[in-house]
Amino acid sequence: MKTTAILENRSGLAEGTSDRRALQWAASAWLAFAIALSVKAAVEPVKHSVYPCFELAARGWFEDANIYEIWRGYRYSPAFALLFNAFAALPTRLGGVLWNLANVAALFAALRLLVRDVLPGRWTDRGRAAFFVLALLGSARGLWAAQTTALCFAFAAFAAWGIVRRRWWLAAMCLAAAVYVKLWPLAFALLALACWPRQLVGRFALCALLPAALPFLSRPPHIVFWQYANWAEFLTGPCLGRWAAYRDFWTILESTGVSVSPRIYTLLQLATAGGVAAWCVGRRLKGEAERGLLAFTLALWAGWQLLFGPGTERNTYGLAAPMLAWAVVVSFREERLRWTAAAAWGLNLLLGGTGAFERLFDEAIPAAEAFTPASVLLLVAWLARRPCERTEPAAETAGRRLADDAGETRIWRRDDESSHSTAAA
């Protein structure tokens, strides 16, 4: 009896050590990527990077130049141009390194909070390691190009964490901040407002006013109003045209020989947006646990944004990478819908963010451009077949409240993380 207990304990300790080592390897992969990205930004700050676009707009802000006419095609808010001067005031190489590191750090911190407090289920260290590595692989291309997609997702994830933790002002501020980085995260903000209207609508309205007002502290009011008018003109003019790098549901229609007018497609976008909102609110009304609902909403928002949202390019597909990683880990853990999730992640990894693999397939398959948005269709299909998460047990809810009162952030004890006793039986 004593020998058996000792052997079982040693086996458990060895397994726990192996799991922790896997998590350390995952963290090392993120660190190695951050170092490589910093070296790239320092050696070649312009090539394959959108950082010069942000830098020119930030510098043009204080020169009272029309920041939406610069050669790189700046399309972000005036508030973003103003705040980006924190990087643009530095030498280009140093500013580029710090900007890239800020994006990597924000995404990694967001993923840690998601897997710890938001994404449902029991997570082992090995499962977390797989999640971090899969998410990194899917996000790497956008981070390498200094895109803001990872930052937008990070703000959305921080908002989800704020909702779970009942930090409503933090959630509202993160939702508003994402909108001023890129306009399209407004879709996730609206979904959150629809599911938690009483807690978020008023707070979000107030938080959205602050970034809009910041530019008025730096330039004369008529200049700021002029820049906002330029932004609106750019969004309703040049931004409405389709570029060669666009990959969305329109791409699928074109690849299958279906022609559709822009007006009909706009109606399709609005109809699907209403369907997504109804789907999320419906699960909320059914009493789905908040963590499950937030994971579902994040994934569905990413799916709708990439398929029907405005301006979806190949590089934008890193938006779905974290939720595709979650789908893969959950599917293999539960042994259901594994190949649907794996195919979605694989297509997104190979084709999202680069045209190299797409050109290889183009020679044999005329509809190869549709593979990238097809990866998101598979994610939506996976979500449709996944049942609602059960309502959280009272013990977990009480544990979260006690942790909130104590300022503790690690709130869910997991059976697989319990320590093994060294006492002999």
Side-chain angles (χ1 to χ4, degrees), residues 184 186-196 267-285 288 293-309 376-377 379-381 383-384:
W184 48 253
L186 180 62
F188 178 73
L190 292 176
L191 290 176
L193 296 183
C195 291
W196 292 273
L267 293 176
L268 181 61
Q269 290 176 300
L270 294 174
T272 52
V276 165
W279 199 355
C280 292
V281 173
R283 292 175 73 110
R284 169 73 168 167
L285 295 176
E288 182 169 13
L293 178 61
L294 284 165
F296 177 85
T297 304
L298 278 170
L300 193 58
W301 161 62
W304 180 88
Q305 176 59 50
L306 295 173
L307 286 172
F308 297 101
V376 179
L377 279 178
L379 173 62
V380 175
L383 289 171

Side-chain angles (χ1 to χ4, degrees), residues 126-143:
R126 188 169 299 179
R128 294 188 193 91
F131 173 75
F132 288 136
V133 171
L134 293 175
L136 174 61
L137 291 173
S139 305
R141 183 63 182 87
L143 289 168

